[in-house]
Amino acid sequence: MITIKKATLNDLENLNLLFDAYRVFYKKESDLEASKEFLRKRIQNNESEIFVAQFSENNSEKLVGFVQLFPIFSSTRLKRFWLLNDLFVDINFRGRGISILLIEEAKKIAVQTESAGLMLETDKNNIEGNQLYPKTGFELDTEHNFYYWSE
């Protein structure tokens, strides 16, 4: 059975294993210490909303996926927007609709906070994500350019 719940500091150890796997998926080096500290700060400082998918079977529980949302703001809409920044499901639990459950939870937060909606970015080569997001109601923005600057 899969349940979705808001992550707390009690979930940090297991969430961190998923978060590190997510980062490795995006070709970053594994760094369990740094990723754990990153997550701890987000949770302690209420800087993001993190929801986890918990698999329960035979009196054991395991975190098998997560979604992390960051608040941003739209000046033109005069509202908050939520950036769906991270979505990951353990490879052994894919194909069970867990990503859809996590996205639906993200949508609930967007509605509850009266935000302008959710936005996300994914790699053009992310075949699974590029199939998943339209399936869950996201529309591809072909009218705007995405730029970034880094030092």
Side-chain angles (χ1 to χ4, degrees), residues 4-19 36 39-40 43 50-54 61-66:
I4 307 298
K5 65 176 192 153
K6 185 172 179 170
T8 68
L9 288 175
N10 292 334
D11 299 308
L12 190 57
E13 292 295 328
N14 295 319
L15 173 59
N16 188 40
L17 296 175
L18 287 170
F19 188 63
K36 184 177 179 181
L39 289 171
R40 179 189 320 282
I43 293 170
I50 305 172
F51 295 93
V52 292
Q54 184 171 280
E61 297 176 340
K62 176 182 179 171
L63 296 187
V64 297
F66 75 95

mmCIF file of all heavy atoms in Angstrom, residues 4-19 36 39-40 43 50-54 61-66:
data_model
loop_
_atom_site.group_PDB
_atom_site.id
_atom_site.type_symbol
_atom_site.label_atom_id
_atom_site.label_comp_id
_atom_site.label_asym_id
_atom_site.label_seq_id
_atom_site.Cartn_x
_atom_site.Cartn_y
_atom_site.Cartn_z
ATOM 1 N N ILE A 4 0.859 8.900 0.813
ATOM 2 C CA ILE A 4 1.622 10.136 0.609
ATOM 3 C C ILE A 4 1.484 10.959 1.882
ATOM 4 O O ILE A 4 0.390 11.120 2.416
ATOM 5 C CB ILE A 4 1.089 10.934 -0.599
ATOM 6 C CG1 ILE A 4 1.026 10.072 -1.860
ATOM 7 C CG2 ILE A 4 1.937 12.193 -0.815
ATOM 8 C CD1 ILE A 4 2.346 9.537 -2.356
ATOM 9 N N LYS A 5 2.610 11.460 2.362
ATOM 10 C CA LYS A 5 2.592 12.283 3.573
ATOM 11 C C LYS A 5 3.645 13.369 3.452
ATOM 12 O O LYS A 5 4.584 13.263 2.670
ATOM 13 C CB LYS A 5 2.838 11.442 4.821
ATOM 14 C CG LYS A 5 4.217 10.816 4.864
ATOM 15 C CD LYS A 5 4.452 10.077 6.167
ATOM 16 C CE LYS A 5 5.925 9.737 6.296
ATOM 17 N NZ LYS A 5 6.377 9.604 7.653
ATOM 18 N N LYS A 6 3.465 14.418 4.253
ATOM 19 C CA LYS A 6 4.453 15.490 4.302
ATOM 20 C C LYS A 6 5.690 14.997 5.041
ATOM 21 O O LYS A 6 5.581 14.372 6.097
ATOM 22 C CB LYS A 6 3.872 16.717 4.992
ATOM 23 C CG LYS A 6 4.808 17.903 4.956
ATOM 24 C CD LYS A 6 4.149 19.158 5.460
ATOM 25 C CE LYS A 6 5.159 20.289 5.417
ATOM 26 N NZ LYS A 6 4.546 21.578 5.656
ATOM 27 N N ALA A 7 6.846 15.272 4.490
ATOM 28 C CA ALA A 7 8.102 14.858 5.111
ATOM 29 C C ALA A 7 8.384 15.693 6.354
ATOM 30 O O ALA A 7 8.106 16.896 6.396
ATOM 31 C CB ALA A 7 9.249 14.985 4.125
ATOM 32 N N THR A 8 8.944 15.030 7.352
ATOM 33 C CA THR A 8 9.385 15.700 8.570
ATOM 34 C C THR A 8 10.844 15.323 8.813
ATOM 35 O O THR A 8 11.401 14.476 8.105
ATOM 36 C CB THR A 8 8.542 15.268 9.789
ATOM 37 O OG1 THR A 8 8.826 13.893 10.069
ATOM 38 C CG2 THR A 8 7.047 15.473 9.549
ATOM 39 N N LEU A 9 11.415 15.909 9.835
ATOM 40 C CA LEU A 9 12.797 15.560 10.178
ATOM 41 C C LEU A 9 12.934 14.080 10.532
ATOM 42 O O LEU A 9 14.003 13.502 10.362
ATOM 43 C CB LEU A 9 13.306 16.439 11.320
ATOM 44 C CG LEU A 9 13.582 17.897 10.939
ATOM 45 C CD1 LEU A 9 13.962 18.705 12.183
ATOM 46 C CD2 LEU A 9 14.662 18.004 9.880
ATOM 47 N N ASN A 10 11.856 13.457 10.981
ATOM 48 C CA ASN A 10 11.900 12.020 11.272
ATOM 49 C C ASN A 10 12.131 11.186 10.014
ATOM 50 O O ASN A 10 12.569 10.045 10.101
ATOM 51 C CB ASN A 10 10.599 11.569 11.946
ATOM 52 C CG ASN A 10 10.448 12.154 13.334
ATOM 53 O OD1 ASN A 10 11.435 12.474 13.993
ATOM 54 N ND2 ASN A 10 9.221 12.309 13.767
ATOM 55 N N ASP A 11 11.818 11.740 8.848
ATOM 56 C CA ASP A 11 11.997 11.033 7.577
ATOM 57 C C ASP A 11 13.355 11.301 6.947
ATOM 58 O O ASP A 11 13.670 10.739 5.897
ATOM 59 C CB ASP A 11 10.915 11.478 6.575
ATOM 60 C CG ASP A 11 9.523 11.169 7.054
ATOM 61 O OD1 ASP A 11 9.282 10.002 7.410
ATOM 62 O OD2 ASP A 11 8.679 12.095 7.069
ATOM 63 N N LEU A 12 14.147 12.140 7.579
ATOM 64 C CA LEU A 12 15.362 12.660 6.952
ATOM 65 C C LEU A 12 16.319 11.574 6.471
ATOM 66 O O LEU A 12 16.818 11.636 5.342
ATOM 67 C CB LEU A 12 16.078 13.626 7.898
ATOM 68 C CG LEU A 12 17.229 14.427 7.317
ATOM 69 C CD1 LEU A 12 16.785 15.244 6.104
ATOM 70 C CD2 LEU A 12 17.814 15.348 8.376
ATOM 71 N N GLU A 13 16.594 10.585 7.286
ATOM 72 C CA GLU A 13 17.560 9.543 6.900
ATOM 73 C C GLU A 13 17.132 8.829 5.627
ATOM 74 O O GLU A 13 17.916 8.686 4.681
ATOM 75 C CB GLU A 13 17.724 8.526 8.037
ATOM 76 C CG GLU A 13 18.388 9.069 9.272
ATOM 77 C CD GLU A 13 19.835 9.489 9.065
ATOM 78 O OE1 GLU A 13 20.529 8.871 8.237
ATOM 79 O OE2 GLU A 13 20.269 10.433 9.744
ATOM 80 N N ASN A 14 15.889 8.357 5.590
ATOM 81 C CA ASN A 14 15.404 7.612 4.431
ATOM 82 C C ASN A 14 15.158 8.513 3.228
ATOM 83 O O ASN A 14 15.416 8.122 2.090
ATOM 84 C CB ASN A 14 14.146 6.834 4.793
ATOM 85 C CG ASN A 14 14.433 5.757 5.816
ATOM 86 O OD1 ASN A 14 15.453 5.077 5.741
ATOM 87 N ND2 ASN A 14 13.555 5.599 6.780
ATOM 88 N N LEU A 15 14.659 9.716 3.473
ATOM 89 C CA LEU A 15 14.474 10.673 2.387
ATOM 90 C C LEU A 15 15.804 10.999 1.738
ATOM 91 O O LEU A 15 15.915 11.105 0.513
ATOM 92 C CB LEU A 15 13.804 11.944 2.916
ATOM 93 C CG LEU A 15 13.693 13.121 1.951
ATOM 94 C CD1 LEU A 15 12.912 12.744 0.700
ATOM 95 C CD2 LEU A 15 13.064 14.315 2.657
ATOM 96 N N ASN A 16 16.836 11.125 2.542
ATOM 97 C CA ASN A 16 18.152 11.467 2.025
ATOM 98 C C ASN A 16 18.678 10.412 1.054
ATOM 99 O O ASN A 16 19.324 10.743 0.058
ATOM 100 C CB ASN A 16 19.134 11.672 3.172
ATOM 101 C CG ASN A 16 20.461 12.208 2.696
ATOM 102 O OD1 ASN A 16 20.525 13.065 1.812
ATOM 103 N ND2 ASN A 16 21.535 11.695 3.246
ATOM 104 N N LEU A 17 18.402 9.152 1.306
ATOM 105 C CA LEU A 17 18.836 8.096 0.382
ATOM 106 C C LEU A 17 18.175 8.269 -0.988
ATOM 107 O O LEU A 17 18.824 8.120 -2.026
ATOM 108 C CB LEU A 17 18.522 6.721 0.961
ATOM 109 C CG LEU A 17 19.253 6.363 2.253
ATOM 110 C CD1 LEU A 17 18.753 5.030 2.790
ATOM 111 C CD2 LEU A 17 20.766 6.349 2.042
ATOM 112 N N LEU A 18 16.893 8.601 -0.985
ATOM 113 C CA LEU A 18 16.187 8.858 -2.245
ATOM 114 C C LEU A 18 16.714 10.116 -2.925
ATOM 115 O O LEU A 18 16.917 10.145 -4.143
ATOM 116 C CB LEU A 18 14.686 9.024 -1.986
ATOM 117 C CG LEU A 18 13.893 7.778 -1.655
ATOM 118 C CD1 LEU A 18 12.491 8.157 -1.201
ATOM 119 C CD2 LEU A 18 13.840 6.838 -2.845
ATOM 120 N N PHE A 19 16.929 11.158 -2.122
ATOM 121 C CA PHE A 19 17.393 12.434 -2.662
ATOM 122 C C PHE A 19 18.778 12.285 -3.297
ATOM 123 O O PHE A 19 19.037 12.824 -4.374
ATOM 124 C CB PHE A 19 17.412 13.484 -1.549
ATOM 125 C CG PHE A 19 17.699 14.882 -2.015
ATOM 126 C CD1 PHE A 19 16.841 15.529 -2.882
ATOM 127 C CD2 PHE A 19 18.821 15.554 -1.569
ATOM 128 C CE1 PHE A 19 17.094 16.825 -3.307
ATOM 129 C CE2 PHE A 19 19.089 16.855 -1.976
ATOM 130 C CZ PHE A 19 18.218 17.492 -2.856
ATOM 131 N N LYS A 36 21.970 15.558 2.912
ATOM 132 C CA LYS A 36 21.204 15.489 4.158
ATOM 133 C C LYS A 36 21.101 16.868 4.801
ATOM 134 O O LYS A 36 20.029 17.270 5.278
ATOM 135 C CB LYS A 36 21.865 14.500 5.120
ATOM 136 C CG LYS A 36 21.095 14.279 6.391
ATOM 137 C CD LYS A 36 21.788 13.221 7.236
ATOM 138 C CE LYS A 36 21.089 12.980 8.534
ATOM 139 N NZ LYS A 36 21.786 11.970 9.348
ATOM 140 N N LEU A 39 18.600 19.012 2.824
ATOM 141 C CA LEU A 39 17.213 18.671 3.151
ATOM 142 C C LEU A 39 16.838 19.132 4.551
ATOM 143 O O LEU A 39 15.741 19.651 4.772
ATOM 144 C CB LEU A 39 17.007 17.157 3.039
ATOM 145 C CG LEU A 39 17.004 16.581 1.630
ATOM 146 C CD1 LEU A 39 17.020 15.063 1.685
ATOM 147 C CD2 LEU A 39 15.829 17.091 0.829
ATOM 148 N N ARG A 40 17.749 18.954 5.505
ATOM 149 C CA ARG A 40 17.480 19.380 6.882
ATOM 150 C C ARG A 40 17.144 20.881 6.923
ATOM 151 O O ARG A 40 16.173 21.290 7.549
ATOM 152 C CB ARG A 40 18.672 19.099 7.796
ATOM 153 C CG ARG A 40 18.436 19.558 9.245
ATOM 154 C CD ARG A 40 19.669 19.505 10.128
ATOM 155 N NE ARG A 40 20.522 18.361 9.955
ATOM 156 C CZ ARG A 40 20.296 17.135 10.441
ATOM 157 N NH1 ARG A 40 19.204 16.909 11.134
ATOM 158 N NH2 ARG A 40 21.142 16.158 10.240
ATOM 159 N N ILE A 43 13.666 21.658 5.455
ATOM 160 C CA ILE A 43 12.573 21.265 6.353
ATOM 161 C C ILE A 43 12.538 22.167 7.582
ATOM 162 O O ILE A 43 11.482 22.704 7.937
ATOM 163 C CB ILE A 43 12.700 19.781 6.751
ATOM 164 C CG1 ILE A 43 12.476 18.882 5.520
ATOM 165 C CG2 ILE A 43 11.699 19.432 7.854
ATOM 166 C CD1 ILE A 43 12.807 17.412 5.752
ATOM 167 N N ILE A 50 7.963 19.200 1.045
ATOM 168 C CA ILE A 50 8.428 17.896 0.583
ATOM 169 C C ILE A 50 7.389 16.855 0.992
ATOM 170 O O ILE A 50 7.002 16.783 2.162
ATOM 171 C CB ILE A 50 9.792 17.522 1.182
ATOM 172 C CG1 ILE A 50 10.832 18.607 0.906
ATOM 173 C CG2 ILE A 50 10.256 16.171 0.629
ATOM 174 C CD1 ILE A 50 12.155 18.398 1.634
ATOM 175 N N PHE A 51 6.969 16.075 0.013
ATOM 176 C CA PHE A 51 6.043 14.980 0.268
ATOM 177 C C PHE A 51 6.713 13.679 -0.130
ATOM 178 O O PHE A 51 7.438 13.632 -1.126
ATOM 179 C CB PHE A 51 4.733 15.178 -0.497
ATOM 180 C CG PHE A 51 3.980 16.382 -0.020
ATOM 181 C CD1 PHE A 51 4.154 17.607 -0.633
ATOM 182 C CD2 PHE A 51 3.133 16.296 1.070
ATOM 183 C CE1 PHE A 51 3.492 18.731 -0.181
ATOM 184 C CE2 PHE A 51 2.463 17.419 1.538
ATOM 185 C CZ PHE A 51 2.654 18.639 0.913
ATOM 186 N N VAL A 52 6.469 12.656 0.661
ATOM 187 C CA VAL A 52 7.084 11.361 0.409
ATOM 188 C C VAL A 52 6.013 10.307 0.179
ATOM 189 O O VAL A 52 4.906 10.392 0.721
ATOM 190 C CB VAL A 52 8.005 10.930 1.578
ATOM 191 C CG1 VAL A 52 9.227 11.828 1.656
ATOM 192 C CG2 VAL A 52 7.270 10.906 2.901
ATOM 193 N N ALA A 53 6.381 9.339 -0.644
ATOM 194 C CA ALA A 53 5.533 8.173 -0.863
ATOM 195 C C ALA A 53 6.075 7.063 0.023
ATOM 196 O O ALA A 53 7.255 6.730 -0.039
ATOM 197 C CB ALA A 53 5.571 7.761 -2.327
ATOM 198 N N GLN A 54 5.199 6.510 0.838
ATOM 199 C CA GLN A 54 5.597 5.463 1.767
ATOM 200 C C GLN A 54 4.913 4.156 1.387
ATOM 201 O O GLN A 54 3.692 4.104 1.246
ATOM 202 C CB GLN A 54 5.202 5.875 3.186
ATOM 203 C CG GLN A 54 5.641 4.914 4.254
ATOM 204 C CD GLN A 54 5.400 5.501 5.621
ATOM 205 O OE1 GLN A 54 6.177 6.320 6.093
ATOM 206 N NE2 GLN A 54 4.315 5.105 6.252
ATOM 207 N N GLU A 61 7.691 -0.437 6.642
ATOM 208 C CA GLU A 61 7.459 0.767 5.843
ATOM 209 C C GLU A 61 8.767 1.211 5.213
ATOM 210 O O GLU A 61 9.837 1.075 5.802
ATOM 211 C CB GLU A 61 6.905 1.895 6.726
ATOM 212 C CG GLU A 61 5.564 1.575 7.321
ATOM 213 C CD GLU A 61 5.068 2.641 8.272
ATOM 214 O OE1 GLU A 61 5.897 3.437 8.778
ATOM 215 O OE2 GLU A 61 3.869 2.679 8.507
ATOM 216 N N LYS A 62 8.639 1.750 4.009
ATOM 217 C CA LYS A 62 9.821 2.208 3.283
ATOM 218 C C LYS A 62 9.433 3.419 2.435
ATOM 219 O O LYS A 62 8.395 3.410 1.771
ATOM 220 C CB LYS A 62 10.344 1.088 2.383
ATOM 221 C CG LYS A 62 11.505 1.476 1.517
ATOM 222 C CD LYS A 62 11.949 0.342 0.623
ATOM 223 C CE LYS A 62 13.106 0.847 -0.229
ATOM 224 N NZ LYS A 62 13.756 -0.183 -0.984
ATOM 225 N N LEU A 63 10.263 4.461 2.466
ATOM 226 C CA LEU A 63 10.036 5.594 1.576
ATOM 227 C C LEU A 63 10.511 5.200 0.186
ATOM 228 O O LEU A 63 11.631 4.715 0.025
ATOM 229 C CB LEU A 63 10.782 6.837 2.064
ATOM 230 C CG LEU A 63 10.355 7.411 3.410
ATOM 231 C CD1 LEU A 63 11.070 8.724 3.681
ATOM 232 C CD2 LEU A 63 8.856 7.588 3.495
ATOM 233 N N VAL A 64 9.654 5.428 -0.812
ATOM 234 C CA VAL A 64 9.975 4.986 -2.172
ATOM 235 C C VAL A 64 9.924 6.107 -3.201
ATOM 236 O O VAL A 64 10.222 5.882 -4.376
ATOM 237 C CB VAL A 64 9.060 3.816 -2.606
ATOM 238 C CG1 VAL A 64 9.292 2.609 -1.716
ATOM 239 C CG2 VAL A 64 7.597 4.224 -2.617
ATOM 240 N N GLY A 65 9.570 7.307 -2.779
ATOM 241 C CA GLY A 65 9.536 8.435 -3.707
ATOM 242 C C GLY A 65 9.318 9.738 -2.970
ATOM 243 O O GLY A 65 8.930 9.738 -1.791
ATOM 244 N N PHE A 66 9.576 10.834 -3.665
ATOM 245 C CA PHE A 66 9.353 12.150 -3.068
ATOM 246 C C PHE A 66 9.141 13.196 -4.144
ATOM 247 O O PHE A 66 9.521 13.020 -5.303
ATOM 248 C CB PHE A 66 10.523 12.561 -2.161
ATOM 249 C CG PHE A 66 11.755 12.993 -2.916
ATOM 250 C CD1 PHE A 66 11.993 14.331 -3.181
ATOM 251 C CD2 PHE A 66 12.671 12.055 -3.368
ATOM 252 C CE1 PHE A 66 13.124 14.723 -3.886
ATOM 253 C CE2 PHE A 66 13.795 12.430 -4.070
ATOM 254 C CZ PHE A 66 14.024 13.777 -4.338
#
